[in-house]
Amino acid sequence: MSDVTTKSQTNTSQNSYTNILTATEDNIAIVTLNRPKVLNALNHELMTELTDALAGFDQDSAIGAIVITGGDRAFAAGADIKEMSDETAINIMLQNKFATWDKIRAVKKPIIAAVSGFALGGGCELMMNCDIIIASETAQFGQPEINLGVIPGAGGTQRLTRIVGKYKAMELILTGRPVTAAEALAMGLVNRVLPVELYLEEAKTLAKQIAGKSQVAVQLAKEAVLKNYDMSLTEGLEFERKNFYMLFASDDQKEGMKAFLEKRPAKFTGK
């Protein structure tokens, strides 16, 4: 695992986490998946803890961005197959466990994935739920569910296709073939690739850079970009314009433009 340890908590519920570690560093939060014996396989308990931690940090005004990471050996090697193997179609439908995943998309603050080692199946889907992805040179990505007689169920068929295109997504999903970090970078699946000793620090540096901006502007920008998935171009442009107008009611817009004209750093308050 990485050397991230819990420095501070933002709410008391985080003290009971058993599958993740949480930490804050300056104005960012770091959430570390912590099931190393099973390569951070994503069971329901881990996902529940993860979404609870993300919701807490999302409400913390001192936090401007969030990093999700795992260990150098594995970000997350997939869903917990032991937990799923005896499930029935009706039971899975009634439990609606994927509703937990929907909560990640509801997080307003930017989430950066710092990925090393395996990011397969559910691990790849979790990574694609994030807003920016920093990978180590050892990272491997893929949707191998076809090898188990199933398909991705937490958004893999949809997000991967939007990111890499129909033909490449079809190949990866139908064969289950993993791709290297270099291949992932070439197809636009990750933002950048660094040596294993640097990827987490790079993700944290990027998170701190974003956290130093106006939080209200960052959150509205993220919202506008994500709407691109749900709307036509015309609808998306209208939504973007609305958020642009809205920011002129913020103190941060006044401060940002005044600071620019006065040739000094802006002092954003998130209001």
Side-chain angles (χ1 to χ4, degrees):
M1 295 298 296
S2 68
D3 59 359
V4 176
T5 55
T6 303
K7 291 184 177 182
S8 61
Q9 309 289 347
T10 58
N11 61 59
T12 56
S13 68
Q14 292 180 337
N15 294 321
S16 63
Y17 293 153
T18 58
N19 296 279
I20 63 173
L21 302 174
T22 59
T24 58
E25 187 174 310
D26 299 327
N27 52 357
I28 68 169
I30 305 113
V31 180
T32 305
L33 310 182
N34 190 36
R35 300 185 73 208
K37 292 182 179 179
V38 290
L39 299 178
N40 293 332
L42 304 175
N43 62 5
H44 184 62
E45 184 180 2
L46 183 150
M47 292 303 301
T48 300
E49 292 181 359
L50 174 61
T51 54
D52 182 72
L54 292 176
F57 287 130
D58 204 28
Q59 295 299 315
D60 187 343
S61 61
I63 299 300
I66 303 166
V67 174
I68 298 178
T69 191
D72 291 344
R73 188 181 175 198
F75 176 72
D80 193 326
I81 304 305
K82 183 178 180 180
E83 182 180 71
M84 298 172 60
S85 60
D86 294 326
E87 287 284 8
T88 67
I90 298 300
N91 191 47
I92 290 179
M93 181 185 71
L94 293 176
Q95 289 182 347
N96 194 20
K97 290 183 178 180
F98 286 131
T100 305
W101 289 70
D102 295 336
K103 297 178 182 178
I104 301 174
R105 193 178 182 193
V107 175
K108 295 180 179 179
K109 294 177 181 175
I111 304 173
I112 299 173
V115 180
S116 186
F118 300 113
L120 304 174
C124 191
E125 289 173 306
L126 174 59
M127 176 195 81
M128 290 190 292
N129 261 282
C130 298
D131 303 304
I132 297 172
I133 301 166
I134 305 299
S136 85
E137 293 172 336
T138 67
Q140 294 185 44
F141 310 91
Q143 300 290 163
E145 288 89 349
I146 201 76
N147 297 322
L148 302 175
V150 293
I151 67 172
T157 64
Q158 303 305 299
R159 290 191 173 91
L160 188 62
T161 303
R162 283 171 165 80
I163 295 167
V164 306
K166 169 190 170 182
Y167 300 109
K168 183 59 70 174
M170 197 73 79
E171 175 192 349
L172 297 180
I173 291 169
L174 297 188
T175 66
R177 178 179 74 85
V179 299
T180 65
E183 289 178 281
L185 181 64
M187 66 178 66
L189 184 57
V190 303
N191 290 77
R192 62 194 71 160
V193 176
L194 290 96
V196 67
E197 63 270 18
L198 298 177
Y199 77 100
L200 180 55
E201 286 306 314
E202 176 70 10
K204 288 158 61 175
T205 297
L206 184 58
K208 290 175 184 177
Q209 180 183 0
I210 294 170
K213 311 297 183 183
S214 162
Q215 284 195 33
V216 64
V218 166
Q219 290 177 32
L220 288 178
K222 171 179 172 173
E223 182 184 33
V225 171
L226 291 179
K227 282 296 181 182
N228 178 63
Y229 286 96
D230 303 324
M231 297 178 170
S232 68
L233 177 59
T234 298
E235 291 171 325
L237 289 170
E238 290 175 355
F239 186 88
E240 176 191 79
R241 200 160 297 153
K242 177 184 71 68
N243 279 5
F244 179 80
Y245 296 155
M246 190 182 304
L247 284 167
F248 280 77
S250 72
D251 293 340
D252 280 353
Q253 175 268 327
K254 302 296 185 295
E255 166 61 13
M257 293 190 176
K258 183 178 180 182
F260 176 83
L261 293 172
E262 295 176 355
K263 296 181 172 54
R264 61 173 175 79
K267 298 178 180 178
F268 295 123
T269 62
K271 298 179 180 179

